Amino acid sequence: MASWTSWSEERHVAARLSRFRLLEGLSGEVIAEIAAHARCFCLPAGQELIRAGRDRQALFFVVSGSFSVMVPDQRGVLESIATVGAGETVGEMSLMTDDPPSAALYALRDTEVLALDKCAFDRIIDRHPMLLRNLSVLLVERLRRTTARAAKSHQARSIALIGGEEAGCAKRLAHDLLPVLRGMGIAAHVVDDAAADQPADWFHYLEASHDMVLYVAPAVGSAWARACERRVDRVVEIACGPGAAIWPVPGARAAEPMAALKRRDVVVLCEHAVADRCPAPVLGEGHVRHLIRRGSTADLERFARFLAGRAIGIVLSGGGARGFAHIGVMRALREHGVAIDAVGGTSMGALIAACVAMEWPEDEIIARLRAAFVATNPLSDIALPTVAFFRGRKVDDLLANNFGDRRIESLAIPYMCITSDLTSGVDVAHRSGPLAKTVRASIALPGVLPPVTLDGHVHVDGAVMNNIPVEHMTRLTRGGVIAVDVSGDTALLPDPGGRQGPGILSVLVRTGTVGNEWQRREAHRLAACLFEPQVADVGFRDWQAFDRAVARGYDCARRRLDADIGLLRRLGVSWSDAATIDEAASFG
């Protein structure tokens, strides 16, 4: 239940209301009238805003704190679809219609709210119709953002860094982040337990005067750490070194009310030599594990971009040999200064994304894939087709030789791999588990390669259900998503004479990668940037077209990036960097 409090006089309330965009252009007398009719209360972190009685149809002004907008998924489980922060309003649709609220609102942090009920709202707009006009403009803009652009994560303005007390890791990390964040144009500030006795208005002013405030608490579960968790938008728990424990890990908090609301990530600080042996807690969807190796500027900058909501993810589609075009796209992005902070893909895209996540340089990726696919055909161990045409042993050996026993959790660059779970009938984004086996499941085309059993379920090629998993990447990263689609061209044509159809393997491969056209269009819509290399003349098993496919991907991405400075800026490249990019040699 909301705890009702009394703020100061109406003048103080009106001063806070004047900062809301909804009230722009209204006179001080109108704002004072709204303040006089509004009720003020504080909702503790984790509690639902109960919209019943006079609040069933009311306009809520979020003065401080934030709400998570929750709706049930297909299983009836509430999931967060948006965040409403300070300076925004909620409840407009119920206020304007007789419909009940369509979503639940939970306080992400201690949240101060002003509630204006429908009767008071109607009386005010009768005398001041400009308020209704402002409200209509805001609703139209909100609808436009929903239908015309990719979903964006809420920009966290307050973040808690908790743990690592044995070496002061949290405080050191916070101060290491300050120059990186400021170099990104973000006014950041660090607060520790010395501020524990400050009044609430002090924290409100601090957050209002900075783009980001980092709250540092050395011990999980301490009084200051609990206070920080109630005050912030996002929690990051820290462990130092491969032997450090993270307790309790985010996965263990699944039953807590705040677990579904507040993103709770893990940072592991360690030496380069032991990075692959660092702790790897199992995290829920929407939570991210970050690996920061001592002295690695790239790791620190990647983490800063995640905190700032500027982390760029890339999604690579399946498409057999056509997927080699992904290598060319990656090279063009690197040459143009685009930093990739998370990678994922389906089928061949999952394989190449894994190479990127392993941090292999492009020359090494090319050498490994050329040896695996061009020098030898991985699909040549023909079997009696009781399960599949090929045994898959050569593919298993290929993956084992390249990825060994590495686990997805040990990769410095966050990675996801898509498979189709035939047991449950859904597509699955894997962010933990053995890398080689999971990639093997993602490329298991039905009828071509045997399926793979993971956690008691039968998994096959991810392209069967989701060939361009942009929506999964939006849950992993916190910025724009780049999609590379090599599956869009005509891929299977009948015999011109009509005497004989395509071969059975061609039919199986195309069936396993065609995916869902609606899902494909939706992925294109969600992507902040889409590349579609022209690889129609590359067959799905035409491994010898390796160089041609790579060159097509490079040419496609390079032309687009050269021609669109605005795109580069949206992908995090500064104007000066974009303006001084040298012309690169053709990639053949």
Side-chain angles (χ1 to χ4, degrees):
M1 178 179 294
S3 59
W4 297 87
T5 63
S6 174
W7 288 345
S8 54
E9 61 219 30
E10 290 176 9
R11 190 182 314 166
H12 180 58
V13 176
R16 293 192 169 193
L17 280 174
S18 65
R19 294 192 285 266
F20 281 76
R21 188 175 169 212
L22 174 63
L23 305 182
E24 284 182 359
L26 297 178
S27 66
E29 290 77 12
V30 179
I31 295 175
E33 184 177 353
I34 293 173
H37 287 88
R39 293 176 296 107
C40 316
F41 61 93
C42 179
L43 196 68
Q47 290 201 14
E48 182 181 2
L49 176 62
I50 303 300
R51 291 189 276 181
R54 64 190 299 189
D55 284 340
R56 179 180 178 274
Q57 290 178 287
L59 181 64
F60 299 96
F61 295 82
V62 184
V63 178
S64 67
S66 57
F67 282 108
S68 180
V69 182
M70 310 286 288
V71 297
D73 61 14
Q74 294 178 343
R75 299 165 296 173
V77 178
L78 287 178
E79 65 174 352
S80 178
I81 61 168
T83 302
V84 179
E88 298 182 80
T89 56
V90 290
E92 300 93 337
M93 295 304 294
S94 294
L95 186 72
M96 304 285 287
T97 69
D98 292 329
D99 297 331
S102 59
L105 298 171
Y106 285 83
L108 271 173
R109 47 188 296 198
D110 291 351
T111 301
E112 292 175 301
V113 182
L114 285 171
L116 186 68
D117 64 43
K118 181 172 175 58
C119 291
F121 177 81
D122 288 343
R123 288 196 300 268
I124 292 172
I125 63 171
D126 283 343
R127 295 190 298 275
H128 309 286
M130 187 175 179
L131 175 60
L132 185 60
R133 177 190 176 277
N134 287 0
L135 182 59
S136 300
V137 170
L138 288 179
L139 289 175
V140 169
E141 290 182 355
R142 188 175 299 173
L143 178 63
R144 183 182 296 121
R145 289 197 303 268
T146 302
T147 59
R149 72 175 187 178
K152 283 192 174 181
S153 299
H154 170 59
Q155 171 58 56
R157 295 178 60 88
S158 55
I159 299 164
L161 305 178
I162 301 177
E165 66 274 10
E166 65 277 1
C169 293
K171 183 175 291 188
R172 188 169 65 248
L173 175 60
H175 286 284
D176 286 345
L177 283 168
L178 279 182
V180 179
L181 292 168
R182 289 169 180 168
M184 297 165 60
I186 297 171
H189 187 77
V190 175
V191 177
D192 58 23
D193 54 1
D197 295 329
Q198 294 288 352
D201 281 348
W202 184 87
F203 291 102
H204 294 159
Y205 173 78
L206 185 68
E207 293 182 15
S209 56
H210 292 84
D211 298 319
M212 184 182 297
V213 176
L214 301 176
Y215 290 83
V216 177
V220 174
S222 66
W224 171 242
R226 290 195 297 271
C228 289
E229 291 194 35
R230 294 176 63 89
R231 198 180 300 279
V232 301
D233 299 313
R234 183 173 300 154
V235 175
V236 178
E237 295 184 14
I238 300 170
C240 294
I246 301 173
W247 184 90
V249 299
R253 302 175 187 254
E256 295 186 7
M258 291 295 292
L261 304 180
K262 190 171 294 187
R263 302 189 89 153
R264 184 183 296 272
D265 295 349
V266 167
V267 165
V268 179
L269 304 172
C270 65
E271 302 291 341
H272 275 265
V274 297
D276 60 347
R277 301 197 300 276
C278 285
V282 177
L283 305 181
E285 191 170 27
H287 306 286
V288 184
R289 172 188 179 272
H290 306 272
L291 184 66
I292 301 180
R293 294 159 293 190
R294 185 182 297 276
S296 173
T297 302
D299 291 350
L300 195 64
E301 290 177 346
R302 183 185 307 114
F303 180 52
R305 288 190 292 271
F306 266 91
L307 293 184
R310 302 182 188 177
I312 299 294
I314 188 165
V315 168
L316 309 178
S317 78
R322 295 177 172 189
F324 296 141
H326 297 317
I327 303 170
V329 172
M330 296 300 300
R331 183 189 182 201
L333 290 170
R334 178 188 57 78
E335 289 180 348
H336 285 76
V338 180
I340 300 300
D341 300 305
V343 293
T346 298
S347 196
M348 181 62 83
L351 173 60
I352 294 177
C355 297
V356 175
M358 291 286 288
E359 300 181 283
W360 293 335
E362 289 156 18
D363 290 346
E364 183 175 354
I365 294 175
I366 289 172
R368 287 175 179 266
L369 294 180
R370 192 189 299 277
F373 288 93
V374 181
T376 178
N377 182 1
L379 295 180
S380 59
D381 51 348
I382 299 175
L384 182 66
T386 55
V387 176
F389 270 98
F390 302 99
R391 294 184 177 88
R393 292 174 184 170
K394 294 185 70 172
V395 175
D396 293 342
D397 291 342
L398 180 159
L399 296 172
N401 291 337
N402 283 279
F403 300 133
D405 58 358
R406 283 295 292 270
R407 294 185 63 83
I408 293 174
E409 307 94 302
S410 73
L411 300 170
I413 300 177
Y415 169 81
M416 71 172 189
C417 175
I418 305 299
T419 65
S420 298
D421 183 345
L422 296 185
T423 302
S424 60
V426 298
D427 60 306
V428 180
H430 300 270
R431 292 174 48 206
S432 62
L435 180 60
K437 187 174 183 179
T438 309
V439 172
R440 168 66 175 80
S442 186
I443 63 176
L445 277 166
V448 178
L449 288 172
V452 175
T453 300
L454 297 171
D455 299 325
H457 285 212
V458 177
H459 292 257
V460 297
D461 197 303
V464 172
M465 295 182 180
N466 193 341
N467 199 30
I468 317 173
V470 173
E471 75 282 8
H472 286 294
M473 182 58 75
T474 62
R475 300 185 184 107
L476 172 60
T477 190
R478 289 161 192 163
V481 176
I482 301 170
V484 187
D485 184 3
V486 298
S487 66
D489 295 302
T490 302
L492 196 64
L493 295 173
D495 180 74
R499 293 182 299 273
Q500 184 176 355
I504 186 171
L505 277 179
S506 297
V507 172
L508 287 173
V509 170
R510 181 55 175 165
T511 301
T513 58
V514 69
N516 178 288
E517 184 58 27
W518 178 88
Q519 182 272 336
R520 179 170 175 262
R521 289 197 302 269
E522 183 68 6
H524 286 193
R525 185 188 69 83
L526 288 174
C529 174
L530 173 68
F531 296 113
E532 294 185 276
Q534 299 303 306
V535 286
D537 60 338
V538 177
F540 282 96
R541 294 187 298 130
D542 187 3
W543 314 124
Q544 299 304 314
F546 182 91
D547 292 327
R548 186 164 77 251
V550 171
R552 297 285 177 80
Y554 177 71
D555 290 341
C556 168
R558 183 189 172 199
R559 284 196 302 271
R560 173 83 184 279
L561 295 169
D562 283 346
D564 193 346
I565 293 295
L567 172 61
L568 288 172
R569 295 169 74 181
R570 293 194 298 275
L571 295 177
V573 180
S574 69
W575 177 271
S576 58
D577 290 340
T580 57
I581 293 170
D582 293 330
E583 290 294 319
S586 62
F587 193 30

